[in-house]
Amino acid sequence: MGEPEYESVVLVKQEVFVYKIPPRQSNRGYRAADWNLLEPIWTGRLRMVAKGRSLCVKLEDKSNGTLFANCPIESYPGVAIEAVSDSSRYFVLRIQDGNGRTAFIGLGFGDRSDSFDLNVALQDHFKWVKNEEKIEKEKVEPKQQLDLGFKEGETIKINMKITVGALFDIMAMI
């Protein structure tokens, strides 16, 4: 049995805004300008939590911690969390309930630095996951080591020019 996985809080933002978003227009990315930004449907706290290699964003009530929405993130960039095309402060989250049903909501920050922190936390987590996978792979398939030792029957020849004076010096040391 493997080691127990501990839950760690990667990021907390005390105020985030959630928006109802219109369906995506073909392959064009989401645009925050298409949302009613002056009227969020919910305001609360964001907690990003890692447990082993899995990561999820939890949107919670600021005062009592009640879960409003959960967004499991398998990869970044990916379908679970996507930046909008017209602003650095807004994202689209694919939230999931306990039965596996999904929905898409808009997520916004009041400050650009908060959205920057979210991006950095996502990138750091998935860089760590990639390194962990590389370490696991190397345990199974170690890197080819460069073997500089002599093979059976292999010899080397060294030509040295030793003067008579140097030869007497060497013999004197013996």
Side-chain angles (χ1 to χ4, degrees), residues 82-137:
E82 184 180 335
V84 298
S85 61
D86 62 340
S87 174
S88 62
R89 290 185 346 199
Y90 298 94
F91 298 85
V92 174
L93 298 184
R94 183 185 67 186
I95 57 173
Q96 199 169 33
D97 70 7
N99 300 321
R101 292 181 304 185
T102 61
F104 290 91
I105 60 171
L107 174 74
F109 294 96
D111 193 281
R112 215 170 249 105
S113 66
D114 290 338
S115 62
F116 177 80
D117 293 345
L118 176 73
N119 270 313
V120 169
L122 285 163
Q123 290 168 10
D124 284 352
H125 176 79
F126 287 104
K127 187 190 300 180
W128 174 83
V129 167
K130 192 175 181 180
N131 285 341
E132 285 293 303
E133 289 169 352
K134 187 176 172 187
I135 290 167
E136 288 299 315
K137 185 179 176 192

Side-chain angles (χ1 to χ4, degrees), residues 23-154:
R24 172 179 247 163
Q25 301 294 317
S26 67
N27 286 341
R28 194 180 110 209
Y30 289 101
R31 290 171 24 91
D34 297 338
W35 310 346
N36 187 357
L37 296 177
L38 296 177
E39 293 186 30
I41 59 170
W42 183 84
T43 302
R45 173 179 69 198
L46 174 145
R47 274 191 332 125
M48 185 181 291
V49 179
K51 186 173 184 178
R53 294 180 182 169
S54 66
L55 184 70
C56 72
V57 169
K58 297 175 184 275
L59 302 177
E60 303 167 335
D61 184 279
K62 281 188 244 187
S63 57
N64 62 19
T66 304
L67 185 67
F68 171 75
N70 187 42
C71 173
I73 304 170
E74 299 85 29
S75 63
Y76 184 73
V79 294
I81 184 164
E82 184 180 335
V84 298
S85 61
D86 62 340
S87 174
S88 62
R89 290 185 346 199
Y90 298 94
F91 298 85
V92 174
L93 298 184
R94 183 185 67 186
I95 57 173
Q96 199 169 33
D97 70 7
N99 300 321
R101 292 181 304 185
T102 61
F104 290 91
I105 60 171
L107 174 74
F109 294 96
D111 193 281
R112 215 170 249 105
S113 66
D114 290 338
S115 62
F116 177 80
D117 293 345
L118 176 73
N119 270 313
V120 169
L122 285 163
Q123 290 168 10
D124 284 352
H125 176 79
F126 287 104
K127 187 190 300 180
W128 174 83
V129 167
K130 192 175 181 180
N131 285 341
E132 285 293 303
E133 289 169 352
K134 187 176 172 187
I135 290 167
E136 288 299 315
K137 185 179 176 192
E138 286 179 6
K139 284 180 184 174
V140 177
E141 307 168 20
K143 282 185 178 176
Q144 187 94 16
Q145 296 294 322
L146 185 59
D147 182 10
L148 299 176
F150 288 113
K151 310 293 182 270
E152 182 76 31
E154 215 173 16

